Amino acid sequence: MDRVVSNDSTKCAQRVLFLGKPGDPACAGARRWCEEHFEAVVYVDGTWGDPLPPQARDWQGDLIISYLSRWVVPADLLARATTAAINFHPATPEYPGIGCNNFALYENAPTYGATCHHMASRVDTGRIIQVARFGMAPDETVASLLQRTYAAMAGLFTDVMTTYLQSGRFPESTEHWTRPPFTRAQFESLRRILPDMPADEVARRVRATYYPPWGPYVDLHGHVFHLRGTDR
């Protein structure tokens, strides 16, 4: 391994591909951390549906770091990371996949947090490196939960990456994913409110999915009504 462990500000000599999310302060902070600690960092960001750009598709190096990335990293790219390919997932192992914070709110989970794990060809199934957890507040909303999750994930990133630079290896957690990843179809189903749903079920779905300008909706005879405001 051509890694440099530094006690005198020498950067690590590994080549890093950092996959991120545009315009996100937490993601930008993690990218800056990598640029300060690694000699060669290729940074690529994108939104849902963007194709993976050539500088990522053709990359070869040591370490892939995915942080709030919208891409499912192809297996052939994962294989070109000679050291590891890791992802920082904004949820605990009980909530893999898409809409993870929404399902945690819907199920009134007692705890939540963030997970760092090795990437596999199927999203959110790779070996878990480390988990950060915090207690969910009774009045938690999508907005407040995301804010707390991103803060926990930033701390997790620093812990995991500092351990790696100091020891040359990633931590190994005893935790495991507890279910298959949630799908977009399941998330869209959670957003849908039916006219005959009981009041408590409607309240749970509103709490779990209301995040302006996105939120739950009602479909009445082909007319779709979206929730744009709430007195919560």
Side-chain angles (χ1 to χ4, degrees):
M1 182 187 297
D2 59 347
R3 192 178 59 83
V4 177
V5 178
S6 169
N7 293 318
D8 60 356
S9 300
T10 303
K11 289 185 178 181
C12 174
Q14 289 193 319
R15 299 157 296 169
V16 175
L17 172 62
F18 188 101
L19 305 174
K21 173 185 175 183
D24 187 274
C27 185
R31 180 198 66 184
R32 286 194 298 271
W33 193 99
C34 288
E35 292 171 340
E36 291 168 359
H37 292 84
F38 291 95
E39 286 187 355
V41 178
V42 174
Y43 173 69
V44 178
D45 62 18
T47 59
W48 296 113
D50 287 348
L52 193 63
Q55 61 265 42
R57 277 292 316 175
D58 301 334
W59 176 87
Q60 296 188 55
D62 303 291
L63 181 62
I64 298 175
I65 299 174
S66 174
Y67 194 101
L68 297 176
S69 169
R70 291 343 195 190
W71 288 298
V72 176
V73 182
D76 64 310
L77 179 54
L78 293 178
R80 293 203 297 276
T82 59
T83 298
I86 66 171
N87 178 52
F88 288 86
H89 176 64
T92 51
E94 295 81 16
Y95 296 97
I98 194 169
C100 37
N101 60 306
N102 308 100
F103 286 104
L105 285 167
Y106 178 73
E107 295 177 355
N108 200 26
T111 63
Y112 197 68
T115 301
C116 177
H117 64 95
H118 292 277
M119 283 193 280
S121 56
R122 187 183 180 199
V123 298
D124 299 344
T125 60
R127 287 182 295 113
I128 293 176
I129 293 171
Q130 189 168 317
V131 180
R133 293 179 182 273
F134 55 80
M136 287 255 281
D139 59 349
E140 205 81 72
T141 64
V142 174
S144 67
L145 185 56
L146 284 175
Q147 184 177 29
R148 298 179 69 200
T149 301
Y150 287 173
M153 194 159 72
L156 178 65
F157 176 88
T158 301
D159 287 348
V160 168
M161 296 308 299
T162 298
T163 297
Y164 174 69
L165 287 184
Q166 291 175 345
S167 68
R169 64 188 64 185
F170 289 106
E172 296 181 9
S173 175
T174 58
E175 296 204 48
H176 301 278
W177 302 105
T178 63
R179 54 152 297 126
F182 287 103
T183 65
R184 179 164 292 279
Q186 288 173 305
F187 171 66
E188 292 300 328
S189 178
L190 181 65
R191 293 178 58 222
R192 187 179 185 187
I193 294 175
L194 302 177
D196 58 350
M197 280 182 176
D200 61 340
E201 177 66 13
V202 172
R204 289 176 67 194
R205 291 181 181 234
V206 170
R207 180 198 184 209
T209 63
Y210 181 65
Y211 187 56
W214 302 281
Y217 68 92
V218 179
D219 187 341
L220 293 176
H221 307 293
H223 300 282
V224 179
F225 301 87
H226 294 269
L227 179 64
R228 297 302 186 197
T230 176
D231 58 3
R232 287 184 61 84

